Amino acid sequence: MGERVELPLLNHPERLLWLLVLPLLWLLARPLRPRQRVATPHLVQWQRALARLKRRPQRFPWLRFLALALAFACGALALADATLGARPGPRQLAVVVDASASLAATSRRAPRGAMAAAVAALAQRLAELPRGVDVRVLLAGTAPQVLAGNPDTLVARLSAQAPAGRGLDLAALAASLARPQVAVWTVTDGLGPSAAPEHGALTLVGEPADNLAITACAVEDAWPLPEIHVRLTLRSFAGRALPWRLAITGGVAEAEPHSGTLAAGAVEEVEVPLRRAGGGGVRIALDGASDALALDDGVRITVAPPPSPKIAVLAEGTDRRWIDLAARVLAEELGGSVMPAADASAADFLLAEGGVLGAPPAGLRAITFGTRVGAGELAADDLEVQPLVADWDRDDPITKDLDLSDLRVRLALRSGFGAEGKTLVAGESRPLVVLSGSGDRTCVHAAFRLADTNFPLLAAFPSFLRRAYARSHGAAPEPVVESPLLDPLESDLRAKAARPEDRPLPAFGDPGKALAVPLLLAALAFLALRIYL
Amino acid sequence: MSGTASFEPFPPEFVDLLHAVLARAPRLRDVVVEMRRSRRKIMTPGGTFAGHRAYAPGEDLRFLDWNAYARSGALVLKVLEEDQHRALSLLVDRSRSMATGTPERRVAALRLAALLGGLGLVQLDAVHVADPAGRTHTIQGARSLPRLLDLLRDAEFDDRPPDVAWRKVLQRGLPGRVHWISDFADPEAAVPLLVHARRSGRALSGWLPVLPEDHQPVLDGWLVLVDPETSAELRIQVDASLRAAMAEEVRALARHQDAVFGAAGYVLHRYPVPSPGDYRLASWWGSVWNSRS
């Protein structure tokens, strides 16, 4: 039995319509038809006369036309992209790789992560693909990417990709990519919000696992003060209680350990008070040995560095204990230093008590107590004896929630103790404490010296100092939560339904051996032969 | 296929010419030999019995051998020795190749046949006109000249080879000299008939109406040559060199024709065809006489 003869396939059979030009060529190749027809009994003699002159009668050049027609047919077949040994089937492979954050989960089946297992599966299958299959990889992550190239390049580029964010709807994506000539292969873990596609080839990597996640993070920064208050929301995506412990690193002081146990499916808010150290990046992460997904275990925030002020103290008189104490405490808390009075012009912050302060430099941040600012010599009627505290601003951040009802003042300046400003503490007839300046350049001026009051003895005094200092720097910069928190659906690694079985790739088509070059050579050969016919 | 539609080879001018020729022409050679006998108008058949030949419709019933009919049931004519000398027979080529040339060669052939037949009617006892179908028409008397012309005019084309067309007629026996008028385009086709005529002792003369283009082809340019009998075509570009080569081929053909007739012991007369419209007596009769002599 003979082997079956394999006929060439045409990828563009519509281009064979060019063969319709052949009748036109036939018409053009025909010799002109003589207008005159003459009947003669001597046809044989005419033929002999032609032979005598070694001429040939005019006939249709069949051989030349045949050569031309064959050359044209070869050209048309080449144009129609004739191939030999082609096999029908898809010739393109669209690989949808789930690049959602859940692919970063580790498991017993994928100890280096589901994404690494996906890349390994991809490398193995791509190496087994028939020649000529065009492979495109769609990385279905937060920012979808289309990767193309040879298998080695694709594997290298995929290896460099880190899963992140919430994935796309893989089922819809696979359905939209499906074409008769395109095979769709989805590589996913089958977890997370998107279900595994029902059509096309499918490879599942990874496996369901228990997971703890930080699902929310709120930060309150008291800058320039050192307090930073972090509120974390922990959520359990596990079927059992899991212990947790927070690890805090970065530009904050060592904090108290935070740990606990989260019940199955529970949500817990954890308050984490921190103190600023050097500022900058701060990472707060869950440290749990049984956790499968690390991407949702930590949060990184950036806080402003402490101002580290240089505090200068100007005091008149012998009783300067309170103002010195205030400067020292403030410097220690803020990480700054107390400067000598002689270097006050280089200071960042000024604490003054009594005396006269000439023209204050522009942008000065200061707290003055009984200091005449920009005023002349003290006169007798400039002082007020035992003024009473009538009220204080209960809405201003400096005096809010402070109890100043026990403040007693023996002697106070009637005026000239500071620029006109907002009254923070009011006496019966005139303000006792005012706020001047605006933005991040403000000063607080008190009409009394510390030594003439019981203010340092009040519980509100430290808060007043800190708040006045903070107010002098204006609004605090917003802390930045750098690590985007995952969608809780991505953190949920529990299988929501029975995972489907893997589905193999279909049989790919073979483009076969292209006959364009041999056909074109044959066409040229026929044209060359036609010259000699 | 009829070749007679709107075809008139014998216009009144030619008929007048024919009458003039018959009135003035010298006697045929056979007539001179039998001059004395031919003057006598015989009312009944006479002469030495030479044999029988088959009867053909149209022949004179006076020559039927009724005794032979009574014996065999076949109609045969008695052939008398004198008939051989007082009659002539005409074989006119009816092939389509005769309908070529300028003027058509068959016109000249029919007019030549009319001239020869007319002389026979005037000077001999009978003229026999045979056709390729095997029929023989016997005409007698000068008054039968119109019938002769009708017979010739009504001739239809017949492309059978000469041996096939005329052998049957010759085998049946034709009285007198046989005048075979044709173009003899294929001389070899005439050989079997000539050999047969020679072997049967027939007196035969070949007549070839010669057109001017037989000597020097006049065709020129890009044209299609068609063989009217076979419809074979030949597309050629005719130029001076090809015309010269063709003239050489025509001469070779003439030599071949002469050789064929000479080999059989006969003579081929070349009859120059007068120009169209030329009805002068010298042009027509002079050609006949000169070609015969």
Side-chain angles (χ1 to χ4, degrees), chain B residues 174-185:
Chain B
L174 281 175
R177 176 172 292 272
V178 175
H179 295 272
W180 184 11
I181 306 173
S182 175
D183 57 1
F184 303 108

Side-chain angles (χ1 to χ4, degrees), chain A residues 36-38 40 52 55 58, chain B residues 224 226 235 239 241 249:
Chain A
Q36 188 178 7
R37 293 173 62 87
V38 180
T40 177
R52 182 191 292 267
R55 295 183 186 174
Q58 293 286 339
Chain B
V224 180
V226 183
R235 296 166 186 248
D239 53 12
S241 58
E249 288 297 326

Side-chain angles (χ1 to χ4, degrees), chain B residues 105 108 208-215 269-274:
Chain B
R105 198 186 303 272
L208 172 60
V210 179
L211 301 175
E213 61 200 50
D214 289 343
H215 299 295
H269 305 288
R270 298 184 184 279
Y271 173 67
V273 177

Side-chain angles (χ1 to χ4, degrees), chain B residues 236-257:
Chain B
I236 56 173
Q237 180 76 33
V238 180
D239 53 12
S241 58
L242 184 58
R243 281 196 299 273
M246 182 59 187
E248 185 60 33
E249 288 297 326
V250 172
R251 285 192 288 274
L253 173 64
R255 289 194 295 272
H256 192 189
Q257 291 165 338

Side-chain angles (χ1 to χ4, degrees), chain A residues 272-311:
Chain A
V272 183
L274 300 174
R275 289 187 66 82
R276 189 188 328 272
V282 177
R283 176 169 173 77
I284 306 173
L286 281 174
D287 185 11
S290 58
D291 194 63
L293 183 59
L295 284 181
D296 58 3
D297 289 348
V299 59
R300 179 182 173 85
I301 60 178
T302 300
V303 295
S308 300
K310 296 175 183 177
I311 302 173

Side-chain angles (χ1 to χ4, degrees), chain B residues 7 15 18 27 38 58 92-93 116 131 135-137 165 176 183-184 186 190 211 243 245 248 255 264 277 288:
Chain B
F7 175 68
V15 175
L18 180 58
R27 298 186 180 278
S38 64
V92 181
D93 187 356
L116 294 175
D131 59 26
R135 295 187 297 266
T136 303
H137 305 276
D183 57 1
F184 303 108
D186 183 8
L211 301 175
R243 281 196 299 273
E248 185 60 33
R255 289 194 295 272
V288 174

Side-chain angles (χ1 to χ4, degrees), chain A residues 126-221:
Chain A
L126 293 184
E128 299 169 353
L129 285 179
R131 177 183 57 84
V133 175
D134 183 18
V135 181
R136 303 292 170 93
V137 176
L138 176 61
L139 206 59
T142 305
Q145 297 181 58
V146 177
L147 308 179
N150 60 50
D152 293 338
T153 304
L154 287 174
V155 171
R157 295 183 65 181
L158 280 174
S159 300
Q161 300 290 334
R166 185 174 184 175
L168 304 178
D169 185 351
L170 299 181
L173 194 59
S176 66
L177 291 174
R179 302 281 190 283
Q181 292 295 318
V182 179
V184 180
W185 176 30
T186 305
V187 183
T188 180
D189 57 358
L191 303 174
S194 61
E198 296 179 355
H199 302 289
L202 177 67
T203 296
L204 291 176
V205 293
E207 58 187 4
D210 292 336
N211 186 31
L212 287 181
I214 299 175
T215 58
C217 174
V219 182
E220 293 179 7
D221 190 357

Side-chain angles (χ1 to χ4, degrees), chain B residues 190-231:
Chain B
V191 171
L193 190 66
L194 293 174
V195 171
H196 176 78
R198 172 51 57 197
R199 287 179 178 172
S200 59
R202 294 286 176 186
L204 186 143
S205 294
W207 293 86
L208 172 60
V210 179
L211 301 175
E213 61 200 50
D214 289 343
H215 299 295
Q216 183 59 48
V218 295
L219 297 178
D220 190 18
W222 174 235
L223 42 83
V224 180
L225 297 178
V226 183
D227 187 325
E229 296 183 17
T230 64
S231 298

